[in-house]
Amino acid sequence: MQDPIDVSLARLSRHLVGDSTLADTLTRVCEAALAGVPPAIYVGISMTVDGKLGTYVFSHPEVIDIDYTQYETGEGPCVDAFHSGKVVLVGSTRNPGPYPEFRAVADRYGIHTVLALPMTADGSTVGALNLFAQCEHAFDERAISDGSSFARQAAFVLANSKAYWDARDLSENLTVAMASRAEIEQAKGIIMTTMGVGADEAFATLRAQSQHENVKVREIAAEIVQKSRREHQ
């Protein structure tokens, strides 16, 4: 019988980032981590969105409540794992130690061990994989080793997914820009024909109307093209 971590790692290796959205991809990572490191009952991923560190993906809504104090105070195992690139283990949230506010909240939610694993790809930390368990000292050396292996592979999935979606967004933006440019050129041609002016004068007319109506040039151009099509139908 295969170890749970081997099954989870195999699931990650087969995952194609283009098959789903970034959020779906990260949700699958959480599900695989939950299955791969059995002591964990909850999993969350700390990452930056628009420059702000937070837990944006999680296996259970309570993770948000537990992690909130970390980001408010700037102190917690997930925050430290993300910034230091090192494994951070809180063996018992019931015992005194670093992150007292986080410990108190976790204990209140019945979480008594927290393991935060840096997700590092190509020398850069792209996130932190955070595992939560109910019993104290839940993660032994084997679990930490398995979790670390999973976090390293998950980091590449995260990095590749972000790169894919960034590239896709760029491609879509370029496609929109090219379509807008084509409409602007069409509108210029219509103005040149109807007003008997050159290309520069036609664009100046577009720009002047844009400024007068406080509407983008591409929207003015699209309106002119659509109106011309209706007239010739």
Side-chain angles (χ1 to χ4, degrees), residues 58 76-77 117 121 124 136 151:
F58 43 86
L117 304 162
S124 298
E136 296 176 274

Side-chain angles (χ1 to χ4, degrees), residues 5 9 36-40 86-91 113-118 129 131 137-152:
I5 191 63
L9 288 170
V37 188
K86 298 179 180 179
V87 174
V88 179
L89 175 65
V90 176
T113 307
V114 179
L115 176 62
L117 304 162
L129 184 69
L131 310 177
H137 308 291
F139 301 107
D140 58 18
E141 290 186 8
R142 171 67 186 274
I144 295 172
S145 176
D146 287 348
S148 297
S149 297
F150 183 91
R152 284 193 295 272

Side-chain angles (χ1 to χ4, degrees), residues 43-105:
V43 176
I45 295 178
S46 299
M47 56 188 288
T48 55
V49 174
D50 295 329
K52 184 177 181 181
L53 181 63
T55 300
Y56 296 101
V57 187
F58 43 86
S59 64
H60 193 284
E62 285 190 354
V63 173
I64 291 293
D65 297 330
I66 296 167
D67 279 351
Y68 178 78
T69 303
Q70 292 194 78
Y71 305 119
E72 191 175 55
T73 64
E75 297 180 347
C78 312
V79 173
D80 276 2
F82 180 87
H83 288 303
S84 71
K86 298 179 180 179
V87 174
V88 179
L89 175 65
V90 176
S92 173
T93 59
R94 290 173 170 169
N95 294 337
Y99 331 122
E101 294 182 23
F102 170 79
R103 286 173 183 261
V105 173

Side-chain angles (χ1 to χ4, degrees), residues 96-217:
Y99 331 122
E101 294 182 23
F102 170 79
R103 286 173 183 261
V105 173
D107 182 33
R108 192 160 66 244
Y109 276 85
I111 296 299
H112 299 124
T113 307
V114 179
L115 176 62
L117 304 162
M119 299 170 67
T120 304
D122 296 327
S124 298
T125 303
V126 296
L129 184 69
N130 312 308
L131 310 177
F132 303 83
Q134 288 178 312
C135 58
E136 296 176 274
H137 308 291
F139 301 107
D140 58 18
E141 290 186 8
R142 171 67 186 274
I144 295 172
S145 176
D146 287 348
S148 297
S149 297
F150 183 91
R152 284 193 295 272
Q153 188 157 336
F156 285 98
V157 172
L158 173 56
N160 290 338
S161 297
K162 291 182 73 172
Y164 171 82
W165 285 103
D166 288 346
R168 182 162 172 173
D169 289 343
L170 176 60
S171 177
E172 289 176 352
N173 289 337
L174 287 174
T175 300
V176 170
M178 289 172 67
S180 299
R181 185 64 187 171
E183 281 192 325
I184 290 171
E185 291 301 320
Q186 283 182 276
K188 281 169 58 180
I190 294 168
I191 294 171
M192 290 166 65
T193 300
T194 57
M195 297 180 62
V197 297
D200 291 342
E201 291 87 345
F203 186 73
T205 300
L206 276 175
R207 189 167 54 190
Q209 186 175 346
S210 168
Q211 293 172 347
H212 177 70
E213 298 181 14
N214 194 27
V215 177
K216 293 177 179 179
V217 170

